[in-house]
Amino acid sequence: MRGLTAAQAAQAKRNIVPRRSSRSFGAIIRANVFTLFNFVIGVLWALILIFGQWQDGLFGLVIVANALIGIVQEVRAKRTLDRLAVINEEPVRVCRDGRDQEVPPQDVVLGDLILLGSGDRLLVDGEVVESDGLEIDESLLTGEADPVHKRPGDRVLSGSFAVAGSGAFVATHVGTDAYAVRLAEEASKFHLAHSELRQGVANFIKYITWLVIPIGALLIYSQLRNTGDFGTAITGAVAGIVTMIPEGLVLMTSIAFAVGVVRLGRRRCLVQELPAIEGLARVDVLCLDKTGTLTAGGMDLGEVLPIGDGHPVEEALAALANLDQRPNATAQAVQVRYPATPGGWTATGSVPFSSARKWSGADFGERGAWLLGAPDVLLDGGEGYERAAALASTGARVLALCRTRDLAAAERGDPDAAVECVALVTLQQRIRPDAHETLSYFARQGVTVKVISGDNPEAVSAIATGLGIPDGDRAVDARTLPEDDPDKLADILAANAVFGRVTPRQKRLFVGALQARGHTVAMTGDGVNDVLALKDADLGIAMGAGSPATKAVAQVVLLDNAFATLPHVVGEGRRVLANIERVSNLFLTKTFYAIALSLATGVLGLMFPFAPRHSTLVNALTIGIPAFFLALAPTLERSKPGFVPRVLRFAVPAGVLCAAAMLLAFWAAHSGTSTLNEDRTSAVITLFLTTWWVLVLIARPLTWLRVGLVAAMAVLFAGALSIPFVREFFALEPGDLSNGLTAVGIAVVASALITLAISVTVRLAGTLRP
């Protein structure tokens, strides 16, 4: 049991596993440079440089800008995530050269003697060599909810965690050879879990890519047929194809996610999966574990109240508290007053504490077997039970100190195991000072709070009532709840807010029942009893001081244990999603007007109504520049499912009407004696005004900053029309006053129709929604 020597450890294979929270620099560069859109735009850029004028190739700079901005933002997010991930890593206790020491997870080596206590996560596979009531939960690997007792010689697997007792094992597989890494390699490195937002954007891009090919071919054919100048035909076709591509949409999505990660990182909040930010925005039910979330870590020993005379209450309490080498919070609180085991109290057998059992105990030979745990679990009526209930109603945590004749019978749950209550012990819990304000925030935001705790229902109710949680005075004892009727369980969850004596398995059932009713559920916790519920929740949030197993499965870790950080976490998620939806409306309006315009000009055999440089100017002022600001603006609105349908309801009518207005303005100008550039200028004026109005609609509600943004874009376009060298660069010729007024009139009418069409589609969708 001396473990490896330092020399042996230095030569052994280390536990090197890719970080879950970020990807490599090379992967970031490849993802931002080698994209389908960059390839298409690069080919079109080359065609313009060969057959057209260089001014029409400005759109090619989008490739460089997209790649650079995307890389910079992702690298910032990676550095933030990696730094926080290191802070979040729990050291592993190993024995080397006969001494216990803590080492970082990556410094664990093959053959190490690893020490285990309750709450520890197993990072590598191994073989048990010592067990003192060691119980391992393998549910995340096998789906089996019951903990497994481990004895010397038994195999243990990475991905499981200790829930009771203590022990040691020798590492037999480390790094990528470990079972959990082989089983789910993607879970051990950067990956994107399911995200409606990212999936929606990916679907848009996929379908648009397929549309670009046939429409682009039709456009090239019509432009070649309509003019004998090959360069003019290529320029017109490229203008249509480039405008169809929402080249900045992926960039803006990545930036919004990356900036969200960095902002949360400044609050010492580690986002272990990027789509967790999306989950933050959709949460409408927050399940809180009382201990460690509403109450701060640690407790203070209150009163020790003997029941009856002649029992060695303090000696038994001291012996039980000092039994475990890695005491839990309860034992630590008792140890402050009773720091040492009294003489003559040597345990011959013990039962470690577990969340499912809710008590611990030991047999001290001739001094008897003693139990310490929940009164309503150990006692069945009597004076101790009644007094414990009265104490719990004040908000104190109450434990019963009991004697029993047979420790093994008590562990089996044998009803014949006689248990005598000899004392009650009260523990004072420290309410977080920020808990009331944080809960008030969630109430204002329409997020329902459910308190689910393993503690006595009366104690949980007292704390919930003191914090102003609605219906906090009506705590439900989870032992009375049905476990085989999900619908009935969901009804009870909907009608109540506070639950006590909830087992780890029930916490998992609670999350599933709420999800079955269409709720997006966030779960917070810090103990090993919260692991399964955190894993199943839409968003698992762990406290930084929580158990390693809890932090391993959570998508978000509050490293500073600040409950008050949660509103900022939720607010950041809402900001990201709402603003990406705004930006998607902008980019896809452009895509749909380009598709409609390309189809119309291709089928009718018309000249394309603008050149690539015109597209660059209008897109920069109505989409590109505003999108950067809108993607980072604050918002409090909770995001709802249905991202893709909502965007389509806005972008399709807006895009089609913009295209119709532009074609009408081009046709009206083209029917006179004006030049092609003058005709295109009229079309560009109409396009700018209609897409600028779309920007105004998307920017609502209009704050002073947003009014300033849209006004600045209008001023910049006016400058492009009036400043000679800018006007010449963008080939704008607004010389014909009648064409200009016609273009403005058409734009005003089209803007009114866009507003009406979007309003009708939104109302119609609301009517059809079940």
Side-chain angles (χ1 to χ4, degrees), residues 235-323:
T235 300
V238 168
I241 296 171
V242 166
T243 310
M244 274 188 271
I245 299 173
E247 66 280 350
L249 181 56
V250 177
L251 173 67
M252 288 297 127
T253 303
S254 298
I255 287 177
F257 272 111
V259 171
V261 166
V262 173
R263 283 179 170 174
L264 290 174
R266 289 176 185 151
R267 296 187 178 276
R268 294 181 61 78
C269 174
L270 171 62
V271 179
Q272 302 201 99
E273 295 178 9
L274 286 185
I277 290 184
E278 181 177 344
L280 298 173
R282 302 194 192 282
V283 166
D284 61 351
V285 175
L286 176 62
C287 295
L288 299 174
D289 176 47
K290 175 184 68 66
T291 306
T293 303
L294 297 178
T295 59
M299 292 174 282
D300 298 317
L301 180 61
E303 298 178 281
V304 179
L305 305 170
I307 297 177
D309 300 321
H311 298 290
V313 171
E314 293 191 345
E315 291 84 349
L317 192 58
L320 288 171
N322 290 279
L323 191 64

Side-chain angles (χ1 to χ4, degrees), residues 547-603:
S547 71
T550 305
K551 292 187 288 184
V553 301
Q555 292 103 323
V556 174
V557 182
L558 305 180
L559 295 174
D560 57 1
N561 302 299
F563 185 45
T565 303
L566 276 181
H568 300 288
V569 172
V570 173
E572 190 62 35
R574 292 182 176 183
R575 182 195 64 78
V576 168
L577 243 69
N579 293 333
I580 288 178
E581 188 164 322
R582 281 197 182 96
V583 169
S584 299
N585 284 332
L586 273 178
F587 279 101
L588 292 172
T589 295
K590 179 193 77 152
T591 294
F592 283 112
Y593 82 61
I595 290 173
L597 211 54
S598 299
L599 282 172
T601 54
V603 171

Side-chain angles (χ1 to χ4, degrees), residues 3-13 97 109-110:
L4 299 176
T5 64
Q8 290 172 327
Q11 297 177 358
K13 180 180 178 180
D97 292 317
V109 300
L110 189 66

Side-chain angles (χ1 to χ4, degrees), residues 360-429:
S360 62
D363 190 334
F364 296 100
E366 62 182 19
R367 298 188 183 273
W370 294 78
L371 311 177
L372 181 66
D376 49 340
V377 173
L378 291 174
L379 308 179
D380 186 16
E383 179 188 356
Y385 185 90
E386 299 297 334
R387 289 180 63 182
L391 289 168
S393 65
T394 66
R397 189 171 188 179
V398 184
L399 301 176
L401 178 65
C402 305
R403 296 192 72 159
T404 182
R405 290 194 298 270
D406 190 341
L407 181 65
E411 183 180 11
R412 292 194 304 270
D414 190 336
D416 295 330
V419 174
E420 177 191 4
C421 180
V422 300
L424 295 177
V425 180
T426 65
L427 298 165
Q428 300 302 322
Q429 301 174 97

Side-chain angles (χ1 to χ4, degrees), residues 15 44 84 104 158 160 163 166 169 187 205 256 298 320 329 386 488 503 539 577 585 624 667 684 687 694 716 718 763:
N15 182 47
L44 298 175
L84 294 177
S158 57
S160 55
V163 293
S166 60
F169 72 97
I205 291 170
L320 288 171
E386 299 297 334
K488 188 174 181 181
T503 65
L539 181 67
L577 243 69
N585 284 332
W667 173 81
V684 168
L687 178 63
V694 168
L716 287 174
R763 277 203 302 269

